[in-house]
Amino acid sequence: MNRGLYISATAMMANQRRLEAISNNLSNLNTTGFKKDVVLTESFPEVLLSKINDRPDFKPRMENEIGYETNGNVHRAHTDEGYFMVRTPNGISYVKDIRFIVDDEGYLKTFYKNEQDEYRTNGENYILDQNRNPIRGGGNIEGLLEGIVFHPNAKVIGTMSPGVKVKKVVTDFTQGELLDTGGVFDLALKGSGFFKVQGEDGETYYTRDGSFTVNNIGELITSDGHRVMGSGGPIIINGDDVKITKDGRVLVDGNMVGSLDIVDLNNKEFLRKIGDNLYRMAEDVDAEEIPFNGELLQGFLENSNVDSIKEMVEMISLLRNFESCQKAIRVQDEMMDKSANEIGRV
C-alpha cells in the first residue's frame, strides 16, 4: 500500500482537529474569561526503512562522533552514525537528534514548559539504551550518550515517519483584556489565578469568569448558579453597600463578611474544560494550589484572550493545507489506478 496515502490522511485528520479548536475559539470570542485552546501535533515514531531482496552494502562502520551541548537543564545531542531510541506511546522512534532533561527520578526524558517556564516531564517520552530500557542520568551525560547509540544492520537505509497525530489540546491561560463595566458584582483577576466555585455535586471547580450575581438567599453565585466560594464557605451578602478589595475581602455596609477563595495552580496544565466556563482537574490529578499574587478588580470583567485576526489567518492556512492533502491523496490514487490497469496490462 502506498505510504503516502496514510501520511496525507493523518495530516488531514490532524488539521480537522485543529480547525475544530479554532472554530470553538472564534465562537467564544465574546465569552467572559474564556481561554483559547491550542492543538499540539507530533509525528508518529520514526521507523527504520530497509532494502528488500538486495545484497547489503557492507561498509566499515565509521567512528561515531556525538554532537552534544547543554544549556542549563536542557541537553541536546546529535549522531551521524546510528540512531537514538525514544519510547513513545505508539512505539519506539529512531531519531538522529534528541532534546531532553533529567527528571526527578533521574531518567532522561523529553519535556515541555508550563506557563511558569518550568520544565515538565509528565506523560513525556523516555530515552532508551541499546537494550531498550529507560536510561538513568549520571554526572557525565555526554559520556553516557556514547554507549546508547543504536546501529542497525547494513540493510537499513534510513527512517520515515508514517505521518502526524494530535498529541494533546492545551489551554492558553494568557491574560485577556480588562473591560470596565462598573458592575458591583463584576470581578476580574489581573494575573494568574482562579476563582473557586462549588458545583451542585459539591465538587470544586475553577473559573476566570467573574460575572457574578446574588441569589434569593444572598449567596454570591456565578451566572449559571454555582456558589462562589470564600475561604470559609459561601459568601453571603445581605446589605446594599458592597465593596470588594484587591485582595478579595468582601465588605458589606462596612463590615467584612468573608474573603473570596482565589488561588493559583502550579499544575494548571492538568485543568480540563467542562463547560459553563468552568475547569476541573484531570482524573487522578490533585490540584497544586498556591497563593494568588495578582489583583482582584471590582467593576471589571476579563475578555476572552482569543485574537480573531490570528485565528482567521490560521484557519485559512489550515484549509489550504487540507486541500493540498486532498490533492495528494487524489494523485496517489490515480497513480495506483494506472499501475493496476495500464502498467499491469503491458
Side-chain angles (χ1 to χ4, degrees), residues 25 54 93 268 309:
N25 291 341
D54 191 13
S93 183
K268 64 170 67 70
I309 296 177

Side-chain angles (χ1 to χ4, degrees), residues 4 9 45 85 138 146 149 151 217 276 338:
M85 291 188 291
E146 291 286 348
V149 176
H151 294 276
I217 60 173
D276 296 334
K338 289 181 180 292

Side-chain angles (χ1 to χ4, degrees), residues 38-69:
V38 179
V39 177
L40 301 182
T41 59
E42 66 177 357
S43 63
F44 283 99
E46 295 281 343
V47 296
L48 297 175
L49 293 179
S50 301
K51 297 178 182 178
I52 300 176
N53 297 327
D54 191 13
R55 183 181 65 82
D57 295 326
F58 293 102
K59 299 182 298 182
R61 182 176 295 176
M62 305 295 291
E63 182 178 351
N64 189 32
E65 291 187 4
I66 294 181
Y68 172 79
E69 63 179 15

Side-chain angles (χ1 to χ4, degrees), residues 29-236:
L29 182 63
N30 296 316
T31 301
T32 302
F34 178 80
K35 301 301 178 184
K36 68 178 182 180
D37 289 327
V38 179
V39 177
L40 301 182
T41 59
E42 66 177 357
S43 63
F44 283 99
E46 295 281 343
V47 296
L48 297 175
L49 293 179
S50 301
K51 297 178 182 178
I52 300 176
N53 297 327
D54 191 13
R55 183 181 65 82
D57 295 326
F58 293 102
K59 299 182 298 182
R61 182 176 295 176
M62 305 295 291
E63 182 178 351
N64 189 32
E65 291 187 4
I66 294 181
Y68 172 79
E69 63 179 15
T70 181
N71 182 10
N73 294 326
V74 179
H75 305 269
R76 295 180 177 86
H78 170 81
T79 177
D80 292 319
E81 295 289 328
Y83 302 92
F84 297 112
M85 291 188 291
V86 181
R87 190 171 75 192
T88 75
N90 295 291
I92 294 176
S93 183
Y94 299 86
V95 296
K96 294 286 189 182
D97 297 274
I98 52 175
R99 186 167 175 260
F100 62 91
I101 64 173
V102 180
D103 71 3
D104 294 337
E105 297 180 352
Y107 288 103
L108 275 57
K109 294 184 71 175
T110 58
F111 63 93
Y112 62 92
K113 275 187 176 184
N114 63 12
E115 288 193 346
Q116 288 77 36
D117 282 337
E118 299 170 333
Y119 297 112
R120 296 285 186 170
T121 58
N122 308 84
E124 291 295 304
N125 304 319
Y126 287 93
I127 312 300
L128 305 181
D129 61 20
Q130 293 185 5
N131 296 319
R132 300 188 176 187
N133 297 316
I135 302 171
R136 281 186 179 270
N140 184 9
I141 298 292
E142 185 175 11
L144 181 66
L145 295 175
E146 291 286 348
I148 69 170
V149 176
F150 171 74
H151 294 276
N153 62 50
K155 284 189 175 183
V156 173
I157 59 175
T159 61
M160 186 196 74
S161 171
V164 297
K165 67 183 182 70
V166 173
K167 182 179 182 180
K168 57 185 174 182
V169 179
V170 299
T171 302
D172 180 359
F173 287 103
T174 54
Q175 180 81 48
E177 182 182 355
L178 298 179
L179 175 66
D180 186 354
T181 65
V184 176
F185 300 113
D186 287 344
L187 306 177
L189 297 177
K190 186 177 181 181
S192 179
F194 300 89
F195 298 105
K196 292 177 69 172
V197 302
Q198 186 181 59
E200 295 180 357
D201 54 0
E203 188 172 352
T204 298
Y205 300 113
Y206 303 90
T207 186
R208 292 279 300 189
D209 183 0
S211 53
F212 300 144
T213 186
V214 175
N215 63 14
N216 55 4
I217 60 173
E219 292 177 330
L220 189 65
I221 59 173
T222 68
S223 57
D224 294 299
H226 300 290
R227 291 189 184 93
V228 179
M229 300 305 295
S231 55
I235 302 292
I236 306 298

